[in-house]
Amino acid sequence: AASGVVKVAREGGDVEFDGIPGAPGVDERGDICTDLACTVERFRGGAAAVAKITNRQRGLFLLTYAGYVAIYFARKPMSVVKPVLEETMGISRDALSMVDTSLLGAYAAGQLTIGAVAKFLSNKQMITLSFLLSGLATAAIGVVNSAPAMAAASAVAGYSAACLNPLLVIFIADTFPASMRASVVGLWQTSQQSGGIAANNFASAVLGSNGWRSVFVLSGVVVAMFSPLMLAVLPSSAPKALPTKGAIKAGSTTASEDGPGVAEMATLKGVLPLCSSYMLVKMARYCLMLWLPTFFTSRVGMSAAKAGAMASIFDAGGVAGSLCAGIATDTLLGGRMILVCLPLCLLCSLSFVGWGFLNGQGEMVNIMCMALSGFLIAGPDGILGGAASKNLCDYHGKSSGYASAVSGMVNGVASCGVIAMSAFTSKIVTKLGWSGLFLLLGSMMAMASAIMISAIAVEHKHFSK
């Protein structure tokens, strides 16, 4: 086998690509495997290629997965300690709401400015600094005594952590072959649900034994310790996996396209529909994440402790949903990530409508509705907010740096929607009741399904080549 550039004949001209470790038909040294038939078939759209996963790829997956689980230790503690802060520190509920808004607002701003920051820092530097600054800011919340100081520290933590999901998803998508991208990213995105469960349990345990200040300090330490790990282990740039069908064109270049402006990204076909549909999906998901314990205490009649435990079932359902969405994308739809979101969003819309009519039927019915909704919404949330941006940019021949900026914009716009939803949810429940809220969420998911059709058309055009 010879390393370097290999030219593969295909219809419409030859295709050149470098020997890339971990890609289909390429061994760990970057040499082309003797059996090139699978690689040729891969580029012609066949299913014969079987990608070999290296130990290094497994290690990078596990490190980034654990790191994103850890970042939830910067997001979840406040929801656990709020009752204690009200009781022992005399901080009002409105003031604590301001702390939440500060984190969400800074998080949205951070995601919208990823493209600008990427002009000065590499992805590895951004990831390393994100863990460090977010961890230090989270620990700082545990040593201050006022709501404004907590809000300021939360804003730093939120802004610092904003780039992690887009950059890590891009990194994972680049590290693994395109033939298994959806399954791998789907598995990786379960770190969101795993992080929520782990952070809730950690914060509850520390709160019971050491008090609320230790919750923030120890959570911050957990987050910050991943900074040196990322610095030591992550490569300066992720190995580029072989693109999906039709993504490679002879003579295409993308090296000069890092750091695009918002106006430029908005004109890329499929980006605005992706922004809008993901905003609606994320608004629905975060609404449930923030209000499910309150729903179970006020509507179903559970105790606060039991309501918190039951709310974790939403995340558990999401783990299964994210995995199934990724596997279905690769095995049933040939890598069409955005397309798989359409039926899931429609079914999720129906599940919310059903929940709106059935939420008065008792504890078990509500738990089943919650688990089903968590299962159905996790796939679209993970795909639209992560690898879909990478794929859209691949379809248009854009670079990974460009994809990072697009992913940041998509997530930033969605986070702005989450801020608005968090501000109005209590008013919606007061005016329309919990049934009205669930019906509204169902309408939002139906709208997301309709809006994403334009992005699906871009995807379909690419796969039709």
Side-chain angles (χ1 to χ4, degrees):
S3 61
V5 177
V6 171
K7 183 176 289 186
V8 180
R10 64 176 296 188
E11 293 183 22
D14 294 339
V15 176
E16 293 185 355
F17 61 95
D18 292 323
I20 303 164
V26 182
D27 67 18
E28 296 183 22
R29 298 171 300 174
D31 293 341
I32 305 301
C33 298
T34 54
D35 183 11
L36 275 174
C38 63
T39 303
V40 175
E41 184 65 19
R42 172 72 184 89
F43 276 93
R44 289 179 173 173
V50 178
K52 177 183 178 182
I53 300 178
T54 66
N55 288 333
R56 178 167 178 76
Q57 287 172 320
R58 293 189 185 95
L60 290 172
F61 180 94
L62 292 175
L63 174 63
T64 55
Y65 187 98
Y68 203 69
V69 167
I71 206 64
Y72 274 78
F73 284 60
R75 299 177 183 174
K76 288 288 189 175
M78 183 58 70
S79 64
V80 175
V81 305
K82 276 180 183 177
V84 177
L85 293 176
E86 282 189 77
E87 181 179 346
T88 62
M89 299 294 291
I91 300 176
S92 68
R93 188 169 297 179
D94 288 340
L96 291 172
S97 178
M98 177 186 69
V99 177
D100 285 341
T101 302
S102 296
L103 186 145
L104 292 171
Y107 189 82
Q111 291 186 316
L112 288 170
T113 56
I114 288 176
V117 177
K119 295 179 182 180
F120 305 99
L121 298 174
S122 68
N123 286 1
K124 179 179 179 177
Q125 291 171 329
M126 292 170 68
I127 291 170
T128 301
L129 286 173
S130 292
F131 279 104
L132 178 61
L133 295 177
S134 185
L136 293 176
T138 300
I141 300 174
V143 299
V144 300
N145 297 302
S146 66
M150 291 179 180
S154 293
V156 174
Y159 185 88
S160 301
C163 70
L164 286 176
N165 186 273
L167 293 184
L168 290 176
V169 169
I170 294 296
F171 175 82
I172 289 297
D174 273 347
T175 299
F176 287 84
S179 59
M180 60 173 62
R181 179 178 292 167
S183 296
V184 171
V185 171
L187 177 60
W188 190 91
Q189 288 283 25
T190 64
S191 59
Q192 297 182 62
Q193 291 78 26
S194 299
I197 295 170
N200 270 335
N201 290 329
F202 179 84
S204 298
V206 174
L207 180 63
S209 59
N210 297 331
W212 71 268
R213 293 187 185 276
S214 294
V215 171
F216 290 104
V217 173
L218 294 178
S219 294
V221 170
V222 171
V223 176
M225 73 179 188
F226 277 88
S227 180
L229 289 174
M230 296 292 174
L231 180 62
V233 177
L234 291 187
S236 297
S237 61
K240 294 181 179 179
L242 296 181
T244 51
K245 177 185 175 184
I248 293 183
K249 295 181 180 179
S252 66
T253 59
T254 58
S256 63
E257 297 177 9
D258 293 339
V262 173
E264 179 185 349
M265 292 186 289
T267 60
L268 200 68
K269 287 185 179 180
V271 169
L272 288 182
L274 186 63
C275 285
S276 301
S277 57
Y278 181 51
M279 180 180 68
L280 293 167
V281 171
K282 191 169 184 176
M283 287 168 67
R285 177 173 172 262
Y286 268 73
C287 177
L288 293 177
M289 284 177 58
L290 296 173
W291 287 90
L292 275 175
T294 303
F295 165 73
F296 278 113
T297 55
S298 63
R299 175 62 170 161
V300 184
M302 291 183 182
S303 66
K306 185 176 182 180
M310 288 298 103
S312 296
I313 295 176
F314 178 76
D315 287 325
V319 171
S322 185
L323 283 172
C324 290
I327 293 171
T329 299
D330 282 336
T331 60
L332 301 179
L333 297 176
R336 293 167 173 81
M337 281 190 174
I338 306 176
L339 178 59
V340 81
C341 295
L342 180 62
L344 290 174
C345 284
L346 288 173
L347 290 173
C348 190
S349 174
L350 294 176
S351 74
F352 280 136
V353 172
W355 199 355
F357 288 106
L358 298 174
N359 64 82
Q361 300 301 312
E363 189 174 295
M364 186 55 63
V365 171
N366 280 285
I367 291 174
M368 292 175 63
C369 289
M370 174 181 60
L372 178 60
S373 298
F375 176 87
L376 293 171
I377 203 171
D381 180 72
I383 291 172
L384 298 177
S389 298
K390 164 67 176 172
N391 279 14
L392 268 182
C393 290
D394 278 353
Y395 303 156
H396 292 290
K398 303 298 183 181
S399 67
S400 289
Y402 198 107
S404 297
V406 170
S407 184
M409 186 180 82
V410 170
N411 280 270
V413 170
S415 294
C416 291
V418 170
I419 296 171
M421 191 69 188
S422 66
F424 290 103
T425 299
S426 61
K427 296 178 177 61
I428 294 171
V429 172
T430 299
K431 189 169 184 178
L432 303 177
W434 291 105
S435 294
L437 176 64
F438 289 129
L439 292 175
L440 175 62
L441 296 180
S443 300
M444 290 164 55
M445 295 302 294
M447 290 174 60
S449 303
I451 293 171
M452 73 175 65
I453 291 176
S454 297
I456 293 173
V458 175
E459 185 176 63
H460 176 73
K461 181 179 180 180
H462 163 76
F463 278 92
S464 297
K465 292 178 180 179

